[in-house]
Each structure stands twice: as structure tokens, then as C-alpha cells.
Amino acid sequence: MNDSAPATAPRRARVRAPELIGKGGWLNTGGDDLTLADLRGKIVLLDFWTFCCVNCLHVLDELRELEEKHRDTLVIVGVHSPKFVHEAEHQAVVDAVERYEVHHPVLDDPELATWKQYAVRAWPTLVVIDPEGYVVAQHAGEGHANAIRTLVEELEAEHGAKGTLRRGDGPYVAPEPVATDLRFPGKAILLPSGNLLVSDTTRHQLVELAADGETVVRRIGEGVFREPQGLAALPDGRIVVADTVNHSLRVLDPATGTIERAAGTGRQWWQGSATSGPALEVDLSSPWDVAWWQGKVWIAMAGVHQLWTYDPESGTVEVAAGTTNEGLVDGPAAEAWFAQPSGLSATEDRLWIADAETSALRWIDRDGHVHTAVGTGLFDFGHRDGDAGQALLQHPLGVTALPDGSVAVSDTYNHALRRYDPATGEVTTLATDLREPSGAVLVDGDIVVVESARHRLTRLRLPEEAVQVDAVAHRTRREATEVAPGRLRLDVVFQAPTGQKLDDRYGPSTRLLVSSTPPELLLGGEGTGTDLFRELDLNPAVTEGVLHVSAMAASCDDDPSNEYPACHVHQQDWGVPVEVTETGVTRLPLILAGLDA
């Protein structure tokens, strides 16, 4: 446990890296299987990710510059470790590797075999292996690119001098490109002309289609957008676009084709950044969808688990709901928890929200209270119709208000279109055999679904009766950690990167938040504090549950002569399934950065 870190790097422990195994095999290698022996002489960075996880997508983007700069010494290997059942399907992993432009080898590990070998507890987790095959560092969460860059440069120098560094091309082999008019489209909107505007996410542009939903009229914004998603019409006819990877909102004038940035700086929001102010001066984080409601643009801010608003009249943005903690908590907007809100749809009195990571359908009322219609939390999902209290979804990305007061849910990982009726409290299935539907739009009484993984729009009649589907229920597949009842020592391990130290200039540089599901699991130790360790008191009467741990540490360059040192925020949320048993452990280490001593 380190709650203070030395300015110089600690001596690295020598731990042999376990072999890379995964039942799904290898992608981006030209058909070859890789072993650690094949990679000996290279610095290897394992990126444990899953494609539902927005933090994992942030890390993919963080690593691109590092990957390019050190191409002849560093091999990044993505270890795909699924949370949801759909993510264990091999074709879904193939699609995700293309969708998110992953340009390194990927091991498909549907049974979490390599995840368990490396004792990984969180998405995303990064593990660095030196050229001799030893683990030298582990990092959980986002914000570690600078620390890893420093470590890679150290390893290059050390192993270059020893003669154990092998330079040259890595094992990455690019797949053959596929020609389609759309490539992993995200959302769609109906234009006054009757045409459809679609965010063509992987091609980084918008596409206007004719009313048939197939004929390309024009392509818009090439070189401007990066993985655009949500679209919403302003009262003046212009279109707001969630420019997701650019962490911005842009406004398109369909008549002239002009595009202007309306909100966001292009930088990703971090803890401590402004949460309101002039729209072009405040950082955003992966805005995924937008909707016009109550005179403002509402933003599903997937990257920080919040809802924000943008006011075109005043040119300002501000947080509207959510604490940045990931989970499912209802109540006043300022106290609610979300988990990657990814779809929005407005009616007069409600803003409907597809809350992806909790597999939930939620809504916020005009008084600012958040409610849940379907869903129970981060770990339960499936395909089950009936009373909303026991119905299940699987990572929905879209929601569409219907004329009768009900809503259609793009139930993405169930490949289905679902319906929730507030009048009856019932959930039904409207259509199946869709491929990763991510949004839908009403057109002349029909519903046009964005079939993201089939790269097309699909027009459906709204059926009179529901489709009959066999019910399935799932829980997240990770094994529970066995912990002893009574006192449990929680240690978040953090070692500041070489040349950096914890930043105490403006108060405590670390923060730890602990809670549990069910709340009765913890008799003591919950709440917020500034130490990266905590004594928890587990209730022997509760045999299983989930510990929710959120940790943050800020480190800055340790150079007294530098008046403006570069600073970096390291942050991670863990949901740790636990089983309380007499033979369980009494210490739970969670690695934010470094190695557990």
C-alpha cells in the first residue's frame, strides 16, 4: 500500500508474465497465434478491455500516440475480456475491433482465462511486460499514458544497453477493408425533407440518405468528426451532433452544410475540471446522445456517467444530473448515479434515458428527479419481458418515444427492439434478429432502426402484438472474491510515475469513495475520505454482494524549478463481487498504478 509515493521509481519486482490464452483466438495477426515467447525482446503492453466500456474506449485513444511513436519496440496486445454475454460472441469482438479502429493484435478471451491469470479486477487494466518476459507495472483506469510512456522509455534504455531489446516490426496484420455505404452507424434523425441523417460512426462523418433509407444523397463532415453518435434538431432547423471522440458538440446547418463547434474544447473532462460555464471553454467527456427538452440540448455524457445541458441562447453548458459515480441510484438529479447514459428521447414531461452499463431504462421528470423504469444495477442483465420490476435488458444504447406514450428501447446486446408501457408497467419485445440496434426513429408510423453491426437502417412496422421470446437472465461472469466476515483492509495501490510526486498544493491529492450493494453488506467503512486505504467492517449476516470503490490520485512533475509542472489525474471505479466466507481473505488490494508489494 502506498498513500505517499517516492519521487524516484521503486525497484521493479521480477514477476514472470503468465501465458496469453483465450478460447476465441487471435485477431489482427493474419491468422497466427501469438505466445509470449514470440514477443520476447519486445516491450509488451496488455490492454484488458471490453467493448461496452467507455473508459476502455478512452484508453484505446490514449494509447494511439504511444503505439505509433514506439512501434519498433512496443507491442500492444488487447485482451478482450467480456462483461456482457453478447461480448463473448467472437463475431461481436471482430466487429468491435473494426468499429473502434484497434490497430494491434487482440486476444479474444471469452472465458476470462488470461484475466484470471493476471488477477485483473477492473476494465480497463494495463499491464507492462519487459523484453525478458517479466511483469513490471499494472495500471487500472484512465490517465496513465504519460506514466507508461516514461516506463517504456526507461525499458528501451535499460534493455537496449543489456542487448535484450529487439527492434523491428511487430505482429500486427491489418484486416481487409469491407465496402458498405455505412459502417457501424450510431444514430439517425428524420429531416423535414423526409430524408434521414445518419451518424456514420466508424467512417467519422454524417450521411444523408433518401427516404428509402438506402440511397446516399451526400456525405457530410469528412475530417471534422471523430466517431459521431447522437443527433437532435434545434427549433431553427439546425442539427446538434454529439462528436463523441472529439468530446464536443457541433452544429450542422443542413441547408448550407456548414458545421460549427458549439460546445467542448476537444479535451476530455477530468475530475477537477469546470462543470459549467461558456460552452466553448468547458471540457466534455464522450457525449453519446443529445435531445432537445425544456428549451435546452440535453447531453448523455457517457464518459462521466452524467447528464449535462447546453443552452444555445446563452452559449453555456452545465451538469444537470449525476455525480460521476457509476451505478444506479435514483432521486434528486444532483444525487443520482448513472452508468454510461447513451440514448435520450424527450416527451413533454419526461426525458427518457437508455443507461447502458446498468442495462436500464430511466427517466428524469420536469422537477429534476431521476427514476428507473427497468433495470437493477451494473451486474444483472438478460432478455426477460413482463412486469418492469423483474424485466431485463442487455446494454441498451437507444430509446425512442412512441405516440401512445410508451417507449421503444434499442436493446443493443439482445439484438432486439423492446417496448415499455408506463400505463401498464409492462415490458414486451417488438422485434428480434436485429444486429446491435443502437437507435431508432419514427417515420410515417413505422420505426426505422439503426442496425449498427449490419451497417444499415431497417424499417419495421410497429406490431400490434409483441414477439414471444424465451426469458433469459444473466449476471456478470467474474468470479467473486472470497472475503472473511468482520474487518477487511482495503488498499488502493498507487505509485507515482518516475519523475512525479503526489500533488498536494491545493489540498489532498487522493480520494477514495466506498459503498456496497446491498448497503447492508457494510457495517462500517463506507463514504468518502482522502487516504487510499480503508478498514471495512463486513456484515456476517450478508453472504454476498458488491463493493463499489472509486479512487483518484493526482501527480505532478517533481521539478522544483518548474513553476508550471505538468499534472496527471489517475482515476478508476471498481465493482468487486464478493462472497463472505470464514476462509476468505482479510485484505483486498486494488491496483491503481504500480505493483502490490
Side-chain angles (χ1 to χ4, degrees):
M1 165 59 214
N2 278 320
D3 52 339
S4 63
T8 57
R11 181 174 173 80
R12 288 192 287 271
R14 303 277 284 175
V15 180
R16 176 65 72 177
E19 191 51 83
L20 306 176
I21 51 175
K23 198 171 183 180
W26 288 87
L27 304 175
N28 284 355
T29 62
D32 294 338
D33 290 343
L34 296 182
T35 66
L36 284 176
D38 299 327
L39 301 173
R40 196 62 48 81
K42 296 285 191 183
I43 302 161
V44 178
L45 175 60
L46 303 182
D47 176 14
F48 289 87
W49 70 298
T50 188
F51 63 78
C52 71
C53 160
V54 71
N55 312 90
C56 299
L57 305 185
H58 291 166
V59 167
L60 282 174
D61 290 325
E62 284 180 9
L63 296 178
R64 293 190 199 279
E65 183 180 347
L66 180 78
E67 187 170 29
E68 185 58 39
K69 184 176 180 182
H70 298 274
R71 185 169 293 281
D72 66 334
T73 59
L74 173 70
V75 175
I76 298 178
V77 173
V79 183
H80 190 268
S81 311
K83 172 185 173 181
F84 290 98
V85 168
H86 168 58
E87 293 174 307
E89 296 175 18
H90 182 69
Q91 185 57 47
V93 182
V94 173
D95 288 345
V97 167
E98 180 192 348
R99 180 195 296 263
Y100 297 116
E101 299 181 295
V102 180
H103 295 160
H104 50 249
V106 172
L107 175 64
D108 180 10
D109 182 18
E111 296 176 347
L112 302 181
T114 295
W115 167 287
K116 293 170 189 171
Q117 289 286 324
Y118 282 82
V120 174
R121 294 185 184 276
W123 296 279
T125 290
L126 300 170
V127 176
V128 181
I129 302 171
D130 73 12
E132 294 179 285
Y134 291 93
V135 174
V136 291
Q138 182 168 326
H139 302 265
E142 303 176 49
H144 300 292
N146 180 67
I148 292 172
R149 176 184 57 77
T150 301
L151 178 56
V152 166
E153 291 170 355
E154 288 178 6
L155 292 171
E156 285 176 341
E158 176 185 335
H159 290 272
K162 287 174 66 175
T164 50
L165 184 69
R166 176 165 56 92
R167 293 183 178 271
D169 290 339
Y172 170 67
V173 178
E176 289 295 318
V178 183
T180 53
D181 286 333
L182 301 173
R183 206 71 196 157
F184 299 104
K187 309 283 186 184
I189 191 173
L190 183 66
L191 297 173
S193 64
N195 289 353
L196 290 151
L197 187 65
V198 185
S199 53
D200 194 17
T201 303
T202 299
R203 297 238 174 89
H204 311 293
Q205 58 189 351
L206 307 181
V207 177
E208 184 177 343
L209 299 176
D212 61 9
E214 298 179 10
T215 305
V216 175
V217 175
R218 60 173 169 164
R219 298 181 181 276
I220 303 167
E222 187 172 357
V224 176
F225 299 109
R226 285 184 66 203
E227 296 184 24
Q229 288 282 350
L231 307 164
L234 293 172
D236 62 10
R238 296 181 301 154
I239 307 295
V240 178
V241 184
D243 191 7
T244 304
V245 174
N246 279 326
H247 307 297
S248 301
L249 300 186
R250 297 187 192 274
V251 174
L252 164 71
D253 186 334
T256 63
T258 58
I259 301 167
E260 296 178 346
R261 180 166 55 91
T265 62
R267 295 184 303 270
Q268 184 183 339
W269 187 95
W270 284 102
Q271 289 289 350
S273 301
T275 55
S276 63
L280 293 171
E281 299 174 17
V282 176
D283 299 340
L284 307 181
S285 182
S286 297
W288 209 275
D289 202 6
V290 282
W292 180 257
W293 190 53
Q294 292 187 307
K296 295 181 180 179
V297 175
W298 287 67
I299 309 165
M301 202 74 79
V304 285
H305 317 300
Q306 290 180 313
L307 303 181
W308 287 44
T309 58
Y310 161 61
D311 185 344
E313 285 289 315
S314 63
T316 56
V317 292
E318 63 181 350
V319 173
T323 64
T324 76
N325 295 112
E326 184 178 18
L328 192 153
V329 176
D330 290 338
E335 300 170 15
W337 291 23
F338 298 95
Q340 282 178 224
S342 301
L344 300 174
S345 186
T347 65
E348 185 176 344
D349 60 346
R350 293 185 183 188
L351 180 69
W352 292 99
I353 305 149
D355 202 28
E357 280 291 286
T358 52
S359 298
L361 172 65
R362 306 176 72 186
W363 51 281
I364 185 167
D365 62 29
R366 295 175 70 93
D367 295 327
H369 277 72
V370 176
H371 311 260
T372 297
V374 183
T376 59
L378 288 163
F379 301 98
D380 292 287
F381 55 91
H383 191 146
R384 188 161 63 199
D385 289 328
D387 179 74
Q390 55 84 56
L392 294 171
L393 309 169
Q394 187 180 178
H395 198 80
L397 291 178
V399 59
T400 307
L402 300 178
D404 65 358
S406 67
V407 289
V409 179
S410 295
D411 193 6
T412 309
Y413 287 3
N414 280 328
H415 310 301
L417 191 67
R418 310 286 292 283
R419 177 177 179 264
Y420 168 68
D421 186 351
T424 63
E426 292 287 310
V427 175
T428 53
T429 297
L430 296 175
T432 58
D433 192 31
L434 301 165
R435 188 71 187 168
E436 292 192 18
S438 55
V441 58
L442 285 169
V443 180
D444 298 331
D446 295 338
I447 193 161
V448 175
V449 180
V450 181
E451 269 198 278
S452 190
R454 282 201 179 111
H455 319 292
R456 71 185 190 194
L457 303 187
T458 299
R459 190 167 182 138
L460 303 172
R461 296 267 178 209
L462 279 172
E464 297 287 329
E465 294 186 9
V467 177
Q468 294 300 309
V469 176
D470 291 335
V472 290
H474 301 288
R475 299 209 82 195
T476 298
R477 300 152 64 92
R478 287 179 294 161
E479 292 181 352
T481 299
E482 293 190 2
V483 296
R487 193 55 59 91
L488 176 69
R489 166 86 177 202
L490 171 67
D491 283 333
V492 174
V493 178
F494 178 75
Q495 293 157 352
T498 302
Q500 294 205 324
K501 65 177 182 178
L502 288 173
D503 176 25
D504 294 313
R505 291 172 301 160
Y506 305 109
S509 59
T510 56
R511 188 191 69 177
L512 182 63
L513 173 65
V514 180
S515 63
S516 67
T517 303
E520 297 77 31
L521 175 64
L522 285 177
L523 294 176
E526 69 274 21
T528 303
T530 57
D531 292 321
L532 289 182
F533 61 90
R534 188 77 58 83
E535 296 288 348
L536 306 180
D537 189 7
L538 297 181
N539 186 347
V542 179
T543 57
E544 63 178 16
V546 178
L547 292 175
H548 303 285
V549 180
S550 178
M552 184 275 290
S555 61
C556 293
D557 291 345
D558 186 17
D559 181 359
S561 65
N562 185 354
E563 188 178 351
Y564 302 104
C567 297
H568 303 272
V569 176
H570 315 267
Q571 183 180 356
Q572 175 61 21
D573 294 339
W574 291 267
V576 183
V578 295
E579 183 178 339
V580 181
T581 169
E582 293 294 337
T583 58
V585 299
T586 58
R587 176 177 178 265
L588 177 62
L590 299 176
I591 297 177
L592 181 59
L595 292 173
D596 182 25

